[in-house]
Amino acid sequence: MKKILFIVLLFQQAMYGQFTANFNNENESSILSFFEDCDACGCSASGGSMGFNSFLNDKFIGVRYMFQSYQSKDGVFNNSPWIDENFNTVQIWARVPITKKTEVMILAPYHFLSRVKKSENQSLSGIGDITIMGFYNLLQTKNDSAAIQQKLLLGAGIKAPTGMFNNKNNGSINPSFQLGTGSWDYSLATEYNIRFKKYGLNTNISYIFKTENEKNYQFGNQLNYSANLFYNAQLKNVIIVPQLGIAGEEYKSNTDFNEVVPKTEGDIFFSKIGFEIGLSRFSAGFNTMLPINQNLTGNKVKANYRIAFNINYVL
């Protein structure tokens, strides 16, 4: 058991180390640009570090609402004013078993984006990019009565450019003010769960490979990771699962006509707290994320907080 756990943790650490090494090798540029941005918000709001699963049941279909609050510089000068940006996403999400060893995850978002400026307000709304991921159950404890329960999933996915991308929006500090990336993107993911009696730990790492869209713009590859401690408490017919964890995201530089867009790389590290409540075949959840450390677009974009609600039906 200890050897299996060590191998799993070593695999996830190696996966994380390899991806972060790629980020650290990114060339930096000191040239100023009007297209300073990252994929930290807007069209990337598909889940990411918020996670892909329910802590009550990993086979479900439901609706998740996500809200992200940001501030960005309305210009490239030090004295440029800060403006508020709000990103609302309503997402249909589901994890559906296909065989005993495989399952499919579907994320279908609808975005409501708003930007409050002194001169005018801007808004966008519409369907976002749909993501489909397949997971293979590489390891799972077969004895339900065992004190320690483990599960390891490996997955891959594809994101279709179903959301609209308008390159006119790139004339701002945050060109991620988009409904979609306009590109076919691909992802790899790993999820590991371990439980001891009523206590558990869930970890996720995913990496998104982004391609160039029809407008010759390419968002930088993206790494998401999270770790959550949780406790399973039962009060009569109601199950309550409080959670406490951390999460992070890292972004490589964007390119425009194969030219690196300066200061478009970034990273952010969050604290997470939340809970889920289950009754019969239904569950509801809430979590919030507060930034601990961030460096987005040369500090021209600041994340304030994120919140998410979900209602699921257990399959």
Side-chain angles (χ1 to χ4, degrees):
M1 181 71 69
K2 291 182 179 179
K3 290 183 178 180
I4 293 176
L5 178 59
F6 175 77
I7 292 172
V8 168
L9 295 177
L10 183 63
F11 170 78
Q12 289 207 348
Q13 183 63 31
M15 186 176 177
Y16 173 77
Q18 179 63 39
F19 290 151
T20 52
N22 290 338
F23 281 106
N24 293 334
N25 290 334
E26 182 72 21
N27 292 327
E28 296 183 356
S29 173
S30 61
I31 302 174
L32 291 177
S33 169
F34 282 87
F35 304 115
E36 296 180 48
D37 73 290
C38 70
D39 199 17
C41 41
C43 53
S44 72
S46 59
S49 57
M50 286 187 174
F52 300 114
N53 67 319
S54 163
F55 289 91
L56 287 172
N57 195 290
D58 56 5
K59 299 174 180 62
F60 62 88
I61 182 170
V63 177
R64 177 164 63 168
Y65 166 76
M66 296 178 287
F67 175 80
Q68 303 181 76
S69 172
Y70 292 87
Q71 288 183 310
S72 65
K73 280 276 192 178
D74 189 22
V76 297
F77 304 106
N78 291 331
N79 62 349
S80 296
W82 290 92
I83 62 174
D84 294 327
E85 294 182 331
N86 298 317
F87 301 86
N88 297 270
T89 300
V90 178
Q91 182 185 75
I92 296 175
W93 68 330
R95 287 183 76 149
V96 181
I98 304 301
T99 67
K100 291 184 178 180
K101 288 281 190 177
T102 60
E103 58 189 68
V104 172
M105 179 93 193
I106 301 172
L107 303 169
Y110 193 95
H111 299 305
F112 302 87
L113 314 181
S114 65
R115 175 183 286 158
V116 180
K117 304 174 70 173
K118 288 186 177 180
S119 58
E120 62 176 341
N121 295 338
Q122 295 176 289
S123 62
L124 285 175
S125 63
I127 190 170
D129 291 341
I130 296 175
T131 299
I132 298 177
M133 300 187 69
F135 287 94
Y136 179 76
N137 190 339
L138 188 65
L139 168 69
Q140 184 169 12
T141 304
K142 296 182 179 180
N143 186 354
D144 293 337
S145 62
I148 297 179
Q149 300 282 331
Q150 295 185 86
K151 187 175 183 180
L152 173 64
L153 297 171
L154 299 180
I158 184 170
K159 183 179 71 62
T162 50
M164 183 180 67
F165 176 88
N166 187 347
N167 60 355
K168 292 182 179 179
N169 290 337
N170 284 9
S172 67
I173 290 297
N174 190 0
S176 286
F177 193 78
Q178 304 275 1
L179 298 177
T181 63
S183 60
W184 290 90
D185 301 334
Y186 308 92
S187 60
L188 295 175
T190 174
E191 178 183 331
Y192 175 68
N193 290 280
I194 184 169
R195 295 172 182 256
F196 176 71
K197 296 182 178 180
K198 294 185 177 182
Y199 297 90
L201 171 67
N202 170 270
T203 62
N204 292 275
I205 297 177
S206 63
Y207 191 80
I208 304 173
F209 301 88
K210 301 179 183 178
T211 65
E212 187 178 73
N213 61 30
E214 293 181 351
K215 305 295 184 180
N216 301 110
Y217 197 88
Q218 181 174 346
F219 289 95
N221 292 349
Q222 177 177 338
L223 169 69
N224 304 309
Y225 58 91
S226 68
N228 297 278
L229 294 170
F230 59 93
Y231 177 78
N232 193 317
Q234 188 161 355
L235 301 174
K236 295 184 178 180
N237 296 328
V238 179
I239 301 174
I240 302 175
V241 184
Q243 308 145 28
L244 182 65
I246 56 173
E249 300 167 0
E250 298 187 23
Y251 312 90
K252 294 185 70 173
S253 295
N254 300 348
T255 61
D256 194 10
F257 285 91
N258 294 319
E259 294 292 332
V260 172
V261 183
K263 295 186 178 180
T264 55
E265 73 280 2
D267 60 85
I268 187 166
F269 183 66
F270 289 98
S271 61
K272 293 180 65 178
I273 186 170
F275 64 88
E276 279 190 87
I277 298 177
L279 176 62
S280 185
R281 300 187 71 86
F282 293 92
S283 67
F286 167 82
N287 70 71
T288 183
M289 301 172 64
L290 298 174
I292 298 174
N293 183 62
Q294 59 181 300
N295 179 19
L296 303 175
T297 69
N299 291 317
K300 296 292 176 62
V301 174
K302 294 181 180 179
N304 296 322
Y305 60 91
R306 298 179 184 178
I307 59 175
F309 302 91
N310 68 271
I311 298 177
N312 296 340
Y313 176 78
V314 177
L315 299 176

